Every structure is written in C-alpha cells, then in structure tokens.
Amino acid sequence: MGRVKGKVALITGGARGLGEATGRVMADEGATVILTDVLDAEGEAVAKDITANGGKAVYYNQDVTDEGRWAELTRKIVADHGRLDVVVNNAGIVLDANVEDTTLEGWRRVNAINSEAVFLGTREAIRVMKDQDPRGGSIVNLSSIAGLVGIDNLAAYNASKGAVRLFTKSAALHVAKAGYGIRVNSVHPSYTWTPMVQHLGDNTGDRDAFYQALAQAHPIGRPGESMDIAWGVLYLASDESSWVTGSELVIDGGITAA
Ligand code: NAD
C-alpha cells in the first residue's frame, strides 16, 4: 500500500484493458487517478467503482490525437489537484493487417493514436512537470514487443510501437540533461488478454483456439493478464524506479528471450 501515495496520475485509454488495470492498482497504491478515454460510459464506470472502493479517481473524455485537448486537460488537472506527477501514455489501437493489406488511411490512424499522441502526451507532461514544485515526474509510454520484433500481420502497429521505443529514449535523454527531474520509460508487453487481443482472436474465427495458441507460444505457458503489465507500470510510476530512465521494460512471458 502507498507505493504512489499522494501522486497525481493521468492514464490515457483508462476505460478498459491495461489502462483500467493500471488505474485500479495506482489508486489502490494511493494515487489520485485521472482516467481518460473515448469510451465514456466504460470510463465513468471504472472511475465510479474505484471511488466506491475508497480510491480517488475521475474520468474525462479525451481523444489523445487532439493537441488542444492535451493542454486543456492538463490545465484542469493542475487547477483541480495542484500538480501532475505521472502520465501513462497507454491509449492505443491495433490494425490486423500485413504491409500489402494496409491502407494509407489505416497506417495514419494507427500511427496517429499509438505514436503521434505519445509525443503529444510526453511533450505536455514535460511542460507541466518541469515547472512544478517539487519539480519532476514520471512518464510511461506503452510500446509493445511489436516495438522490438517484427510481426507479419501488424505492419502499421509495428511501426508505431517501434517509434514509441526510440522516441521515449530521446525524450528521456533531453529531460535528464535539462535537469528537470523527469523520467521517461517504455513498457513492452506481449499478447495480454485484453479486449484488444480478444478482438485479434475473434478475427481468426476461433477466440479459444487463439488463446491456446498464445499459451503455447509463450515460454511461461500463458498469455499475459492485465495486472502483469499494470505492476510494471506502477513500478515505473513510483519513486522505486528513480534511477530508471530511457529504459524498456519487457513484460512478455519470455517470448522475446528466444
Ligand atoms: P484495449 O483496446 O483493451 O484498450 C485501449 C483503450 O484505448 C480503449 O479503452 C480505447 O477506447 C482507448 N483508445 C483508443 N483510441 C483512443 C483515442 N484516440 N483516444 C483516447 N483513447 C483511445 O487495449 P489494451 O490491450 O488495454 O492496450 C493498451 C495499450 O497497450 C495500447 O497502447 C496497446 O497497443 C498496448 N499493448 C497491448 C498489448 C496487449 O497484448 N493487450 C500488448 C502490447 C502493447
């Protein structure tokens, strides 16, 4: 208890999946959690449930690709809560398509949400965190094992997640050299059983067989659960990781070890 006590944390894509799990564990560990998403009913329900269980959480609508909304929202968070300690750039989409089947429109959409919006969120977080008192904070960017290795049916997604990996290192170096007290890290999950991956399973025509195939593919013998990833994000958000920046936390059941 209390691993992020007193911190104010913004988690994008917080209505379900990894963002929801991260919001719940951060609230359990003492943070004030601001969940944002485009799925308003789901996001409101998660925030309400966290609050009903004694945590501190609010939900706001935010399309992460909207530059103006980032500034508006962070101003509101600072006005309401005094500061912003943690930003988890988690919102993301997947496009189940190889390079030949990927349209330019699909490519741009995936890269706008998964990559460009991570830049917007990181830049906005730095703007707030560098000038607050006490100064600093932690930015956690969701990449993927698809930011480390190629996957044939995830061409645009691969590109977006690879971009997040190296952009994170660039931002981490900049803020470290500037002495802002801000850390920036990326997280690289393998297939984790969230709505996103269940949808990939549905695309194969047999969700259960897809689950079994994932279990076999991972050396640990199962796909990930949302909490497997949320614990990693919690560590990077907390002061336990105060000497960790520009790093890539791989949480993948061993699949990229081979
Ligand atoms: P999910 O689809 O279950 O949840 C993603 C959330 O992001 C949804 O609530 C969705 O509404 C929200 N979102 C999508 N577009 C948005 C936008 N423009 N603005 C605001 N919110 C938006 O997915 P998940 O599995 O929980 O994935 C979370 C993150 O983790 C993503 O960045 C994903 O790429 C990454 N990731 C997931 C896995 C996995 O196996 N589940 C593996 C590696 C990386």
Side-chain angles (χ1 to χ4, degrees), residues 143-156:
S143 179
S144 166
I145 58 160
L148 306 172
V149 297
I151 301 175
D152 59 338
N153 64 319
L154 299 180

Side-chain angles (χ1 to χ4, degrees), residues 13 15-18 37-39 62-64 90-93 113 142-144 157 161 189-192 194-197:
R16 70 182 197 193
L18 303 186
D37 208 296
V38 290
L39 299 178
Q62 179 194 20
D63 179 339
V64 290
N90 165 81
I93 59 168
I113 295 174
L142 265 290
S143 179
S144 166
Y157 188 82
K161 294 301 186 180
S190 185
Y191 292 86
T192 302
T194 64
M196 177 184 280
V197 168

